[in-house]
Amino acid sequence: MLTFIGIVMILTGIIMLIIKPFFSTLKALNWFTKSRNFKLIGFGFVLSVISNMFFYAEPGTAYAVQYPWGSQKAVVHQGINTKMWGRLIPIQFELPIKYVIPNKDNGELGEQSKYANVDVAKYWAFSDAVKARIATSVVVSINTADETQFLSVADRNKTEKNLIRSRIIPNIDQSIKNTCKLMDAQDYISGQASDFDRYFKDQLENGMYVLEEYFANENREIIGDSTIIRTITNKESKQKRFRIKYVNGEPVREKGNSLKAYGLTVVQAVVTEIDWETTFDKRLQLQKEEVAQTQLEKQQAERQFYRAQKETAKGEAEKATERARLEKEQIQKTIEAETKAKVAEFNLIEERKNYEVAQFKAKTQKTMADAQSYENAKLVSAGLTPQERAEWEYKTSVNIARELKELKLPEIYIQDGGKQDANGNLLQSLIGADLAKKMMTRKSQ
């Protein structure tokens, strides 16, 4: 900018010196005197010289300065540095390179950083011939610690854009191409996306894989579950596939095709988005519908299975309950029968004991009676003494008196005067007795 201003000032001063003598009558040119024109030329010269002698190094950018006399130097720190009319090759410390899938509606790439190199994502074919646009984000860092290597890279590539276009992007494309050959699109969406990122970054950092062809045999497909297996009767087929070539357990890589040779380090290499071709999108949609339908049918089958299990369990529970009830009744009846048998047995034992007791009592009474009879007979035969006879008479009189005392006679006694006939009216006698009894009762009250 200063150079441009200085050149404009120099040209203005020279032109005024030339045209002023021919247009001396113009008042607008009176300001441009000869001394002022020389001052303008001198100031413009100073500005153009200063702008070519110095430059301002922006942060985050390394500069290769190539001087007119053939030497060069690297500037990696921001600030004002000497240029001395040399040529500058600025290269960012980190170079962001992005492949972006354009918007389907307007075809725009969206908002992107002005420091990033952004391109439209390309179509790549997987090993099963399915094509897709693959959006990637790669960040490459330059080596600023080794000044010689940095100056060599800058000298060979001339510009940052040429470095990206001729060195970095071809490596990115080759890495994507090789990685796509290693797997099917179906494998990618089935869980191998992380493997894709790993293969992609490894090839950028350490060099491209050497791939070898092989043929994969596809056996007959078996579908079904553990209870019903159905085999699809198709012929075995061979499919051409690619895999990484290994020697002594290490992958074989292409020589001279690595970013490390240019002092470049891969900081980031990821796949941000994949836009599958329309046919594969339709197939994915059908697969999703089939999976959803299969899951639904599986859930329905499981529901029916568990419902049957529930009914079976319910029947078993009812059976167990009924069995328990019957067993309980059986046990109760058994206990009752056993109790009755025990009671009968105890009753029998009791009756037997009572019988035996009665027999013993009868025998005892008989024995006592025989003894008393024998004793009485002996007493009679021997005769009683006067004292014993007096005792027996005393006891007899006492017993008779006790019996007479306890004897209860009627309180009312009615007897006719004997004047009437002995066959008098019995009814009259009973009525009279009842009246007398009532009178006695009132009197006692």
Side-chain angles (χ1 to χ4, degrees), residues 383-395:
L384 298 173
T385 62
Q387 184 179 357
E388 291 175 344
R389 184 179 290 109
E391 185 179 355
W392 277 103
E393 289 178 355
Y394 171 74
K395 290 182 178 179

Side-chain angles (χ1 to χ4, degrees), residues 266-331:
V266 178
V267 179
Q268 171 184 296
V270 295
V271 175
T272 57
E273 185 181 0
I274 289 186
D275 182 22
W276 303 101
E277 60 183 355
T278 306
T279 55
F280 189 70
D281 282 336
K282 292 180 180 179
R283 183 166 45 164
L284 284 179
Q285 185 63 32
L286 291 175
Q287 286 180 352
K288 291 179 182 178
E289 294 175 357
E290 288 294 329
V291 169
Q293 184 66 24
T294 302
Q295 291 293 332
L296 179 60
E297 292 177 356
K298 183 179 179 181
Q299 291 175 0
Q300 291 176 350
E302 290 179 351
R303 189 181 297 113
Q304 295 296 332
F305 173 76
Y306 287 117
R307 184 177 299 169
Q309 291 291 101
K310 180 181 178 182
E311 294 296 329
T312 303
K314 183 179 179 181
E316 291 294 332
E318 293 177 352
K319 189 190 300 182
T321 303
E322 184 65 17
R323 185 186 297 110
R325 187 184 66 81
L326 294 175
E327 289 179 353
K328 183 178 180 182
E329 292 180 357
Q330 183 180 3
I331 292 172

Side-chain angles (χ1 to χ4, degrees), residues 116 200 207 301 304 398 431 439:
F200 176 50
Q304 295 296 332
V398 170
I431 292 172
M439 291 174 65

Side-chain angles (χ1 to χ4, degrees), residues 15 28 60 82 122-123 154 190-192 196 205-206 210 217 236 241 245 255 286 318 335 350 381 401 421 428 434:
I15 292 172
T82 59
K122 302 175 184 178
Y123 279 100
S190 299
Q192 294 189 16
F196 191 98
E205 290 178 341
N206 304 308
V210 175
N217 294 327
E236 293 186 358
R241 305 292 294 272
K245 185 178 181 180
K255 296 181 179 179
L286 291 175
E318 293 177 352
I335 293 174
E350 185 180 5
S381 62
D421 188 4
Q428 292 177 358
D434 184 62

